[in-house]
Amino acid sequence: MEYRENDFGSNRVFVEPVPPFCAYVWEALEDLMIRILIAAAIVQIVLGATLSDDPGKDWVDGLSIIIAVVVVVCVGSITNWQKENKFHELNDLQNQGTKYKVIRNGKPEDLVSDDLLVGDIIHIMVGDIMPADLLLVEGNGIKMDESSLTGESDTMKKETYQKCVELLNKKMKPPSPLILSGTNLVEGTGVAVVLAVGDHSQKGIIKRTVDNAQENNQTPLEQKLNVIAENIGWFGMGAGVVTLVALFIRFGIQYVSDQKAYKQSSQMQSIVSAYAQNSPSSMDIPEIAATIHAEFTNPKKNISNQILDIILLCVSIIVVAIPEGLPLAVTLSLAFSIKKLMDQNNLVRKMHACETMGGANYICTDKTGTLTKNEMN
């Protein structure tokens, strides 16, 4: 029994454990729009609390962006984490509730599908969902519903391996003796031997293929939001750079003018002071006294403050261009959609699945009446 499990594997299809809550938080933080908002908020808080004209209030705008980001991340992470836990609970409940009559080592046993091994003899009855790939060795009138694998609603007849060999020798087209995992027995009873289990079975191969195809796939809305975030980021950066260049040009022109006026005023003050020293009575003239006692500020002393004001203004332009309410609106709307579907007994595993299905333009289906009611059940 142990060598069979070592050589052919077990029927326990590997299911990813529920990631910790922090993993969902990190997944939410990978969104480009969220990262731009966080960077803008940090810059706004630091500059607003240290270098702005009103440090007691200017950091509030950055804090409001942080609060919006926290709400977005928490709502998305909590929703996905809860649904993933619920999905695993349902899977565990389903696997524990299904048992099959198996002959192992010549003794009949009742085993759940996870305990099946290659070489086990299993009795199949109407209504059973095949837990592994099987080879039919005994049975009569076996018909299988393979729509879960092929999408075709027609039942497929199965015959024993010996019967198929006889038909083949008579140059007649035989049915298949193979019963694939995941299919449903709709007619007849029989006995079969387990050929493949777990990831090596047809159901496991399809599951692995689907899981690999879904890795790192973005929904249409996520793709559009990333494009918007990039465009807004470039637009805001461009507007900030243009404003920065324009204000620096204006600052340079104004600085040259102020420096020239400062030199002229200083020279005039020196001349008037020298005149007053030679003629003390002239101090009684108000204009001369005002010129002597006037204080002129050197424009060089204000260079750092003026440059800082220009930089703060440009950063504010970039921050204002980012729509911090957009991720919040999208996340809350998807969470509301999941809640409405839960009220109709539909469990949505991933939040973005609501948006994906809602954005479907065409649905191709067979003539089974599955979607004719326009209502999910």
Side-chain angles (χ1 to χ4, degrees), residues 7-62:
D7 292 342
F8 303 105
S10 69
N11 202 36
R12 297 180 183 89
V13 178
F14 177 73
V15 178
E16 289 282 351
V18 180
F21 179 73
C22 296
Y24 291 97
V25 174
W26 181 253
E27 181 182 353
L29 292 175
E30 289 180 349
D31 185 84
L32 180 61
M33 181 75 77
I34 296 296
R35 292 184 174 184
I36 292 176
L37 287 173
I38 292 175
I42 292 175
V43 172
Q44 187 81 356
I45 290 175
V46 172
L47 296 180
T50 56
L51 303 176
S52 66
D53 295 334
D54 190 358
K57 297 180 180 179
D58 289 346
W59 58 271
V60 175
D61 292 338

Side-chain angles (χ1 to χ4, degrees), residues 73-118:
V73 172
C74 288
V75 170
S77 303
I78 292 174
T79 301
N80 286 332
W81 183 66
Q82 289 178 341
K83 303 312 174 191
E84 190 71 22
N85 278 295
K86 184 65 68 175
F87 178 81
H88 279 73
E89 290 176 5
L90 291 175
N91 273 349
D92 294 340
L93 184 62
Q94 181 180 4
N95 293 335
Q96 292 174 0
T98 305
K99 289 190 176 183
Y100 300 88
K101 295 184 181 298
V102 178
I103 298 176
R104 177 181 292 174
N105 299 327
K107 299 179 182 179
E109 300 181 41
D110 290 336
L111 300 176
V112 295
S113 61
D114 288 350
D115 295 334
L116 291 177
L117 297 174
V118 172

